[in-house]
Amino acid sequence: MRRERPFQVGEVSSFERCFTDEDVLEFQRISGDAGRHHARPDAQGRRVVHGLLTATLPTRLGGDIDFLAREMQFEFLRPVFTGDTVRCEATITEVAPEAGRVRLAMSGSCWNQEGKEVLRFQARGVVLDEGA
């Protein structure tokens, strides 16, 4: 791991994306989850975004820091639909340096474009030192 500064409790990162029909159909193909709420648009022409596809937002934030998750917990609070823009924010809650790695815990939430919370999460894992 090569960072300009060490990880700190309270450090916040965020990411935002809009989910499309193509996203849902590709995730359906990859996951095999073809539940009708994902496969068929509703009366407004929207598909329900898979919960685990929504959960790729916090995993993206972990990927930004080379986080190797050991435990992940998700609480899905309301549906996300195609066309929704979802913002995810993660806060580091624990930092424990060890030989060759840093153990981290983080928690956060995701909100849709209306400011409604759609997902809460917690994760524990490690970031390995570069070359470890």
Side-chain angles (χ1 to χ4, degrees):
M1 157 188 75
R2 190 165 275 166
R3 275 177 58 103
E4 293 181 21
R5 58 184 173 73
F7 292 105
Q8 295 181 328
V9 170
E11 185 176 331
V12 177
S13 57
S14 63
F15 178 69
E16 180 177 290
R17 74 172 285 191
C18 179
F19 289 98
T20 66
D21 271 342
E22 293 76 24
D23 295 330
V24 171
L25 294 173
E26 184 65 9
F27 194 83
Q28 177 180 305
R29 185 187 69 75
I30 292 168
S31 69
D33 179 353
R36 69 175 173 258
H37 49 289
H38 302 306
R40 295 186 205 146
D42 67 9
Q44 297 171 324
R46 308 171 305 172
R47 297 177 198 275
V48 174
V49 175
H50 298 77
L52 289 178
L53 179 54
T54 304
T56 63
L57 275 69
T59 62
R60 158 70 196 285
L61 294 174
D64 288 347
I65 60 171
D66 293 324
F67 180 74
L68 298 168
R70 300 283 173 88
E71 300 175 34
M72 299 174 86
Q73 180 180 353
F74 298 107
E75 181 181 1
F76 301 97
L77 302 170
R78 59 178 30 94
V80 172
F81 297 96
T82 54
D84 285 355
T85 298
V86 179
R87 178 175 177 75
C88 181
E89 198 170 275
T91 302
I92 294 176
T93 57
E94 293 178 34
V95 177
E98 296 179 354
R101 70 186 69 215
V102 176
R103 289 197 178 281
L104 295 177
M106 61 180 81
S107 64
S109 292
C110 299
W111 300 269
N112 66 18
Q113 68 277 358
E114 297 170 355
K116 294 180 180 176
E117 190 176 26
V118 298
L119 172 68
R120 284 187 201 129
F121 61 90
Q122 295 180 3
R124 293 184 170 282
V126 299
V127 176
L128 300 176
D129 288 340
E130 195 169 292

